[in-house]
Amino acid sequence: MQIITGKAKIAAVLGWPIEHSRSPLLHNFWLQRHLIDGAYIPLAVKAEDFNTVIQSIKAAGFKGCNVTIPHKEAAYQCCDVVDETARKMRSVNTLWFADDGKICGTSTDGDGFVANLKDTGLTLTNKKILILGAGGAARSVAYSLIQENAQISITNRTLQRAEQLVQDLGAGQIIKWQSWAKELGQFDLLINTTSLGMEGKEDFQFDLQHARADLVVTDIVYVPRMTPLLIAAQQKGLKTIEGLGMLLHQARLGFSKWFGVDPSVDHELTEFVANSLKK
Ligand code: ATR
C-alpha cells in the first residue's frame, strides 16, 4: 500500500492532454516498491498556463516534475540551470527545484534510449546506425548516440529537417528517404523515431530485404508494443529491442532527484506497464 503523510514528497507530470501518460503508473509503482512517503500526479496544463503552474507547484513545495507535449521547449525556457544535453536539445523533460530555489532541468530521453539498448548487452562504439526521422525524438536519440561514439546516419521524409538536424549536431550522414531501404546492408542498428507504426496512424510497410542477418532493429514507438517494424524484423529473424524500455529508463533520473532513490528497470516493472497499455 502507498503511504502518503503530511511530509510526503510530491512530483508531477505536466502535459496537454495528459490522460494517456504512463508516467504516474510507473513512478507510483517505484514509490510503493521502495516504501517511499510520496506521490506522483498527472496535471493537465494548457500551454498558456505552463509558467503559472510551474511557479505554483514550486511554491507548494513539489520536488519537481516531468513535462511532456506541448511543454518541453517552454520548460527549457523556464529553467535557471540546464546541462549540456538540455542546451543542445533546447528542450527538457525533467525538472527539479533545488534548495536555493533554482529551477533545474535536463532532457533524459536520449540517455533513456541508450540505457535501454545497453540493457540488452548492445555496444554502440563505432556502430553504424540508421535513424528514421528527424523530429524531437530523433534529436535526443542522435545526440546521445554521438556521445557513445556511434556513427549515425539520418533519413527523413522531409530532407530539409534531416539536413538541419545534422547541422545542429555537427555530425552524421544524410540518406535520402527514398533510398534508405536499399542502403540498409551497411548498418548495424536501425532505429525508428517516426510515428510510423504508432497505433491509430496509417499502416506502413518497412522494407528490410537488404538488411544483414546481424542487424538489430529498435523502435521508440511502444503502443502497440510489437510495432509493424519489429514484426517485420522478427519475421526476418533479426534481433529486436522494444521501445517501452526507453520510457522506463528515461524516468529514472527524475525519480532519483525527487525521491532520493535510483530505481531499477526490471521484468516486473516492464510487464506491469506493458499490461496497462493493453487497457
Ligand atoms: P517527435 O518530436 O515525436 O519526433 P515530430 O517532431 O512531429 O515528433 O516528428 C515526427 C517524425 O515522424 C518526423 O521525422 C516526420 O517526418 P517529417 O519531418 O517529414 O514530417 C516523421 N513522420 C511522420 N509521419 C510520417 C509519414 N507518414 N511518413 C514518413 N515520415 C513520417
Side-chain angles (χ1 to χ4, degrees):
M1 199 188 74
Q2 197 156 352
I3 307 147
I4 303 175
T5 73
K7 293 184 200 156
K9 295 172 176 168
I10 313 288
V13 54
L14 279 56
W16 184 273
I18 200 64
E19 302 94 81
H20 302 297
S21 172
R22 301 295 152 171
S23 295
L25 202 74
L26 152 66
H27 284 281
N28 287 304
F29 175 95
W30 277 329
L31 285 169
Q32 284 194 44
R33 175 182 272 179
H34 293 285
L35 302 175
I36 292 170
D37 181 8
Y40 180 101
I41 57 171
L43 295 177
V45 178
K46 289 185 182 158
E48 60 266 34
D49 297 327
F50 179 75
N51 285 316
T52 311
V53 173
I54 287 289
Q55 292 306 330
S56 303
I57 65 171
K58 187 180 149 198
F62 280 49
K63 295 292 173 191
C65 62
N66 284 126
V67 306
T68 182
I69 293 167
H71 302 309
K72 290 186 180 182
E73 287 78 23
Y76 172 69
Q77 296 298 337
C78 87
C79 284
D80 302 306
V81 182
V82 290
D83 62 4
E84 180 64 20
T85 309
R87 244 191 305 278
K88 273 272 180 195
M89 299 303 109
R90 293 188 297 278
S91 84
V92 307
N93 68 348
T94 305
L95 299 168
W96 60 98
F97 305 129
D99 292 340
D100 61 4
K102 293 218 162 95
I103 303 175
C104 310
T106 189
S107 170
T108 63
D109 289 331
D111 286 353
F113 176 81
V114 163
N116 187 37
L117 295 186
K118 287 184 171 174
D119 231 21
T120 70
L122 210 67
T123 55
L124 296 166
T125 310
N126 294 328
K127 290 287 162 64
K128 292 195 76 180
I129 300 179
L130 177 61
I131 300 173
L132 309 181
R139 183 171 291 263
S140 299
V141 162
Y143 176 73
S144 291
L145 289 171
I146 291 167
Q147 307 303 305
E148 297 291 324
N149 295 316
Q151 297 174 36
I152 62 156
S153 295
I154 293 170
T155 185
N156 193 51
R157 177 179 60 178
T158 310
L159 178 64
Q160 214 180 358
R161 269 185 112 187
E163 288 171 344
Q164 184 65 53
L165 180 52
V166 165
Q167 190 183 324
D168 292 349
L169 293 167
Q173 307 279 326
I174 292 175
I175 293 195
K176 288 211 176 104
W177 182 250
Q178 293 75 8
S179 48
W180 70 260
K182 285 189 221 96
E183 307 257 354
L184 203 50
Q186 54 177 301
F187 292 101
D188 303 303
L189 176 64
L190 172 67
I191 303 165
N192 177 41
T193 72
T194 73
S195 47
L196 291 169
M198 206 180 265
E199 202 164 79
K201 301 272 169 149
E202 65 198 279
D203 280 347
F204 186 78
Q205 298 294 321
F206 289 91
D207 176 3
L208 304 180
Q209 60 176 309
H210 296 289
R212 291 201 318 258
D214 62 348
L215 178 75
V216 178
V217 178
T218 185
D219 204 326
I220 65 158
V221 172
Y222 58 86
V223 184
R225 192 172 179 184
M226 279 310 292
T227 64
L229 173 62
L230 297 183
I231 292 168
Q234 287 194 349
Q235 281 167 352
K236 266 191 75 77
L238 303 175
K239 176 176 170 169
T240 57
I241 302 172
E242 61 182 32
L244 185 57
M246 174 184 179
L247 170 79
L248 308 180
H249 279 284
Q250 64 77 31
R252 287 176 57 195
L253 181 87
F255 191 91
S256 67
K257 293 273 182 205
W258 310 317
F259 303 116
V261 172
D262 181 13
S264 60
V265 171
D266 56 18
H267 182 72
E268 189 191 4
L269 173 68
T270 306
E271 291 311 309
F272 174 72
V273 177
N275 281 333
S276 83
L277 297 172
K278 291 183 197 151
K279 290 169 195 153

